[in-house]
Amino acid sequence: MKKIPPLIVFVLVLSTVTVAQKQQITIEEIYGNQFGTERLEALRSMNNGKHYTVLNREDRNVSAIDKYDYKTQQKIETIVSSSDAAAIPVFSSYSFSADESQILLATEVEAIFRRSRLGVYYIYDTASKAVVKIADYKIQEPTLSPNGKHVAYVYDNNMYVMDIAANTTKKITSDGLKNKIINGVTDWVYEEEFAFVRAFAWNSDGTKIAFLRFDETEVPEFSMDIYGTALYQRQNVFKYPKAGEANAIVSLHMYDVAGNNTTSINLGKPYYIPRIKWMNDANTLSVQTLNRHQDRLQLHAVNATSHAVSLLLEDTDKAYVDVTDNLTFLDDDSFIWTSEKDGYNHIYLYGKEGALKRQITKGNWDVTNYYGYDKRKKKVYYQSVENGSINRDVYSIGVNGKGKKRLTQETGRNTAAFSTNFTYFINTFSSATTPPKYTLHQASSGKKVKDIKDNTALLEKLKGYQMSPKEFSTISINGNDLNMWMLKPQNFDASKKYPLFMFQYSGPGSQMVSNSWNSANDYWHQMLASEGYVVVCVDGRGTGLKGRDFKKVTQKELGKYEVEDQIAAAKKLSELPFIDENRTGIWGWSYGGFMSTNCILKGNDVFEMAIAVAPVTSWRFYDTVYTERYMQTPQENASGYDENSPFNYPELLKGKYLLVHGTGDDNVHVQNSMRMIEALVQANKDFEMAVYPDKAHSIFGGNTRVHLFHKMTKFIKENL
């Protein structure tokens, strides 16, 4: 076989003592968060760019918003604390008004779905110290107007506006009804796949609100039994559009605060409206629309007075166009935008009327995050993989496309949180050998100003445990050099044979091979390595950060090329002299479970064992927005759906297979596993399964993770 050339190899030098003297990592320690990292609490930069605020919780009974100085990292003052006034309960999140004179405080928060929340909210006036409770009931997405006079929110699918000074509230929609009409917040599929909940926005002077309305009447309902502890289970019924089924009809509306009237905006019946954002001009709203195939994204300008709509730009792709938040309006309402139209994700500048001025970044690498625009220095700040696709760095570049500067120096994953005026940024850095550390830097030069926090205590702790180096390399598969990492057993002996256990996710645009610090599952992989397994992860075709064509090659064929790559990688790795070719396993979660199931079926001469956690088993069962983005509809692409759906060929199973699912999974429904089980039963195939009552897609809560990973470990030891 061809030698697998090393790309980067990192060695964790954790201790000079022998392996026999070190502890083995346990599942209880991993999922009891004994190896968790210290983090810098989420901060909000203040308008002056010199200070930031952090929500601190000294104990469960007290919460406070503390103000810090960027340069000194010293606490300046406590702006508000729940211990200061009896009228303020303990709060779990906060947001400022535009001028920072008011603070919105969230209490009694409860989750609805992944991102949506209900809560009781208060408004705190920083000058008068007055506290106003918005409503006696739980509401969604309260948002202060930029002029500080009003707060808009959603309750029971209707929108309301409260006059703060008068302490009066107007109901501005009245047709909201569960599982039929939603105003101002998104439906399930928008929340999950377009990644936002608040579907309304104030203009810059607080005189108008643009909002979306969802008519879910024709969307099919999905129901889940909730078992709980009651005598009878109950049903959770909600609208869930599966691939090829009807989506909510979405429309745009404009509310005028002074006139107390609402106008419908004619956008020409768009299929999706994934983003709305006001320009600096208080009279102009930007609206993004998508067709059902998601291969044509249009950016429109809406005049808030005449309600006229004009097209600013259109971005098209043979596969699909990604929806992002990378839109910034400059003072004159020219705007910055990102696109993959040259084959890689890059930053572009457009004029106010939508004419392209220039491409700001260029190269055979992807921009992975856009941080913003400094209008004083006319610089754009971004993150990219210019230093290798497994690494990320922070850069600045002139809006004219000149003067690019790398602002981070250490090789690994770097992310930045910039001050409001782009004077400073806090860099979060980690690598395979360095847990997260936080440092303050000058935005202009990248020069480090101050160390803030690191995780040296964790590194010291890990010296007492059996840890293997994560070795990064590339492997040549099907004409591509695929990124890979490998963990070898402690006291590795190249003359011995070891079982191979592969991990992957493989979903479109994803990345599992990254030069960054451990996740919880990485510690589990370390535990398996200490038990004598070689653990490997390969990012095949369809994964991200290697350009448009590499990512989108799986279009209309999810589960074809990705499975071919994992099977081919397993075969090639089995040729290594230290791998036992008769002991090869694979596992994954969600998309990764879909993949591991397909691999043990289509690669039944390669894999002896597979574990699938919360897998999709047919894309016909998954939601419209995600699935049709990559597959179009089942009506248009039946073969693409069915030829890679594992329950259509259960007779191929030869090895050992463990199937795991939570019955409360609102994302990948347990229906997927039930159909797989039935197919295996009818094919008379033996398998193992584990069902976790009422557990969501994360299969988490109480002792659940510990139980799950003990079960998976036992299955591996018995069958690999």
Side-chain angles (χ1 to χ4, degrees):
M1 67 173 281
K2 293 182 180 179
K3 183 179 179 183
I4 302 171
L7 178 64
I8 308 171
V9 177
F10 298 100
V11 179
L12 295 173
V13 183
L14 293 177
S15 181
T16 57
V17 297
T18 64
V19 171
Q21 293 174 300
K22 293 184 179 182
Q23 295 176 252
Q24 186 183 74
I25 292 171
T26 68
I27 289 170
E28 285 76 11
E29 288 174 314
I30 297 169
Y31 298 101
N33 200 34
Q34 294 302 302
F35 304 114
T37 56
E38 286 191 47
R39 298 181 181 182
L40 192 66
E41 294 295 331
L43 59 87
R44 288 170 172 80
S45 181
M46 301 195 76
N47 291 343
N48 61 16
K50 299 178 181 178
H51 303 117
Y52 64 87
T53 59
V54 172
L55 175 63
N56 287 322
R57 295 288 299 272
E58 295 179 5
D59 57 54
R60 292 183 178 181
N61 300 316
V62 178
S63 54
I65 300 172
D66 293 326
K67 179 179 176 181
Y68 292 82
D69 183 276
Y70 268 109
K71 190 171 184 178
T72 67
Q73 291 296 297
Q74 297 299 308
K75 178 179 171 180
I76 304 297
E77 64 173 316
T78 294
I79 297 175
V80 61
S81 171
S82 61
S83 64
D84 292 343
I88 305 177
V90 175
F91 49 91
S92 56
S93 66
Y94 70 97
S95 59
F96 281 98
S97 61
D99 65 358
E100 299 177 344
S101 65
Q102 296 167 301
I103 308 175
L104 199 62
L105 305 172
T107 72
E108 301 180 46
V109 174
E110 62 179 271
I112 304 173
F113 294 117
R114 187 192 295 263
R115 296 176 176 85
S116 49
R117 301 289 184 269
L118 285 166
V120 176
Y121 291 83
Y122 296 79
I123 301 168
Y124 176 76
D125 188 286
T126 58
S128 68
K129 314 298 183 186
V131 178
V132 176
K133 189 177 185 181
I134 297 175
D136 291 327
Y137 40 81
K138 291 190 174 184
I139 62 176
Q140 286 185 265
E141 300 297 319
T143 305
L144 290 160
S145 62
N147 59 18
K149 296 180 179 180
H150 299 90
V151 60
Y153 62 88
V154 174
Y155 171 66
D156 274 356
N157 289 8
N158 281 311
M159 284 203 62
Y160 295 76
V161 172
M162 177 187 183
D163 184 313
I164 299 171
N167 200 13
T168 58
T169 301
K170 292 178 181 178
K171 186 176 183 180
I172 64 175
T173 67
S174 57
D175 58 350
L177 186 64
K178 180 177 173 58
N179 287 341
K180 287 192 180 296
I181 304 295
I182 309 173
N183 294 287
V185 292
T186 55
D187 64 356
W188 186 94
V189 74
Y190 267 63
E191 174 180 340
E192 179 67 25
E193 305 301 355
F194 290 134
F196 74 109
V197 176
R198 179 166 60 87
F200 68 86
W202 288 98
N203 68 345
S204 59
D205 63 9
T207 59
K208 296 182 185 295
I209 303 172
F211 68 92
L212 301 182
R213 177 184 183 270
F214 295 83
D215 183 345
E216 295 187 296
T217 305
E218 300 303 319
V219 178
E221 289 183 341
F222 185 81
S223 64
M224 297 189 304
D225 281 334
I226 308 299
Y227 297 97
T229 58
L231 184 60
Y232 292 90
Q233 79 273 26
R234 63 179 176 85
Q235 281 197 322
N236 180 17
V237 180
F238 58 99
K239 297 284 188 168
Y240 185 106
K242 292 180 184 285
E245 299 297 311
N247 278 286
I249 299 170
V250 62
S251 53
L252 175 67
H253 305 266
M254 194 83 68
Y255 174 73
D256 181 82
V257 177
N260 190 29
N261 59 73
T262 301
T263 304
S264 297
I265 307 299
N266 183 6
L267 294 173
K269 296 183 179 179
Y271 200 79
Y272 295 119
I273 307 177
R275 294 289 186 271
I276 58 174
K277 182 175 183 176
W278 287 94
M279 297 186 186
N280 295 312
D281 174 6
N283 200 48
T284 311
L285 175 75
S286 76
V287 182
Q288 296 180 39
T289 63
L290 271 176
N291 61 333
R292 183 158 191 166
H293 283 172
Q294 300 175 62
D295 56 7
R296 186 176 75 253
L297 187 152
Q298 295 180 317
L299 178 67
H300 308 268
V302 178
N303 184 295
T305 301
S306 69
H307 306 133
V309 180
S310 59
L311 180 65
L312 291 177
L313 70 78
E314 182 173 272
D315 200 350
T316 60
D317 193 284
K318 289 184 292 185
Y320 60 89
V321 180
D322 284 314
V323 173
T324 74
D325 293 311
N326 301 336
L327 172 62
T328 296
F329 290 101
L330 280 57
D331 284 345
D332 63 352
D333 279 330
S334 58
F335 57 94
I336 291 170
W337 180 266
T338 58
S339 173
E340 292 181 315
K341 63 183 180 180
D342 81 339
Y344 292 86
N345 192 45
H346 281 298
I347 303 171
Y348 296 80
L349 176 66
Y350 288 84
K352 181 179 179 180
E353 305 302 323
L356 176 63
K357 287 189 170 183
R358 70 183 61 89
Q359 183 175 343
I360 297 173
T361 60
K362 297 178 182 178
N364 296 336
W365 41 265
D366 284 317
V367 169
T368 47
N369 206 340
Y370 164 73
Y371 293 118
Y373 173 67
D374 181 354
K375 65 181 182 181
R376 294 176 306 144
K377 297 183 178 179
K378 297 184 178 180
K379 285 185 178 181
V380 171
Y381 295 90
Y382 67 95
Q383 178 200 60
S384 76
V385 291
E386 294 174 57
N387 191 30
S389 59
I390 67 170
N391 301 308
R392 302 191 195 189
D393 279 288
V394 179
Y395 293 82
S396 66
I397 190 170
V399 74
N400 59 3
K402 299 178 181 179
K404 182 171 69 175
K405 183 175 182 60
R406 180 180 170 186
L407 301 177
T408 49
Q409 301 305 316
E410 295 187 88
T411 301
R413 174 172 290 193
N414 292 274
T415 63
F418 283 86
S419 61
T420 302
N421 64 0
F422 294 97
T423 299
Y424 300 107
F425 71 92
I426 292 177
N427 183 42
T428 302
F429 167 78
S430 80
S431 71
T433 56
T434 306
K437 61 180 182 180
Y438 306 89
T439 50
L440 180 71
H441 297 256
Q442 292 177 351
S444 58
S445 64
K447 180 180 178 181
K448 186 171 74 172
V449 177
K450 193 176 184 66
D451 293 318
I452 301 174
K453 182 180 289 190
D454 59 30
N455 278 279
T456 54
L458 176 59
L459 277 179
E460 286 298 314
K461 180 177 181 177
L462 289 173
K463 287 181 179 180
Y465 288 86
Q466 297 179 32
M467 295 284 288
S468 298
K470 183 178 278 189
E471 301 175 5
F472 291 85
S473 62
T474 59
I475 181 170
S476 181
I477 298 294
N478 293 322
N480 294 279
D481 290 331
L482 305 181
N483 292 339
M484 179 178 79
W485 59 249
M486 178 183 290
L487 293 175
K488 294 174 182 174
Q490 290 284 307
N491 288 339
F492 172 75
D493 184 344
S495 67
K496 293 182 178 180
K497 294 280 190 180
Y498 297 93
L500 172 66
F501 189 53
M502 297 179 69
F503 162 69
Q504 46 65 57
Y505 177 75
S506 304
S510 64
Q511 184 185 55
M512 294 291 105
V513 182
S514 168
N515 183 16
S516 55
W517 189 245
N518 297 330
S519 68
N521 290 350
D522 283 324
Y523 287 104
W524 183 60
H525 295 142
Q526 287 282 358
M527 189 195 83
L528 293 175
S530 70
E531 295 272 4
Y533 296 90
V534 171
V535 185
V536 170
C537 180
V538 176
D539 276 342
R541 284 173 290 177
T543 57
L545 312 190
K546 300 182 83 171
R548 176 208 175 277
D549 293 342
F550 185 84
K551 180 174 73 171
K552 296 179 179 178
V553 70
T554 61
Q555 191 71 7
K556 297 178 71 173
E557 295 281 4
L558 291 186
K560 174 177 169 59
Y561 300 107
E562 309 97 301
V563 169
E564 289 176 0
D565 284 353
Q566 295 299 319
I567 292 172
K571 285 181 178 179
K572 192 164 188 176
L573 289 165
S574 293
E575 295 175 9
L576 292 169
F578 55 84
I579 295 296
D580 184 344
E581 64 178 354
N582 296 314
R583 300 170 68 191
T584 303
I586 188 168
W587 90 281
W589 198 305
S590 192
Y591 199 104
F594 163 71
M595 287 287 298
S596 60
T597 302
N598 270 317
C599 282
I600 199 169
L601 298 178
K602 293 189 173 184
N604 58 14
D605 59 335
V606 176
F607 294 99
E608 283 74 41
M609 182 273 285
I611 299 173
V613 183
V616 171
T617 61
S618 172
W619 291 108
R620 292 177 181 269
F621 298 152
Y622 203 57
D623 73 62
T624 47
V625 175
Y626 182 93
T627 309
E628 294 172 13
R629 179 185 301 149
Y630 311 115
M631 296 287 282
Q632 297 188 355
T633 67
Q635 296 87 338
E636 297 168 297
N637 183 26
S639 63
Y641 279 78
D642 297 336
E643 289 175 7
N644 298 299
S645 293
F647 66 58
N648 285 329
Y649 35 89
E651 69 280 357
L652 297 181
L653 181 64
K654 292 181 181 179
K656 302 296 183 179
Y657 178 58
L658 172 61
L659 179 59
V660 179
H661 222 118
T663 67
D665 192 335
D666 65 284
N667 187 349
V668 179
H669 304 148
V670 73
Q671 172 190 25
N672 286 270
S673 285
M674 292 303 177
R675 286 291 296 272
M676 190 71 215
I677 290 166
E678 175 62 11
L680 291 169
V681 168
Q682 295 308 317
N684 200 29
K685 294 294 182 178
D686 189 36
F687 63 96
E688 291 191 26
M689 59 177 287
V691 174
Y692 288 90
D694 298 339
K695 293 301 180 285
H697 194 54
S698 59
I699 312 183
F700 187 82
N703 195 55
T704 305
R705 278 288 176 91
V706 171
H707 185 278
L708 169 60
F709 278 87
H710 268 300
K711 186 168 192 66
M712 291 166 59
T713 303
K714 181 173 182 287
F715 185 78
I716 294 166
K717 289 181 178 179
E718 290 176 349
N719 297 292
L720 192 61

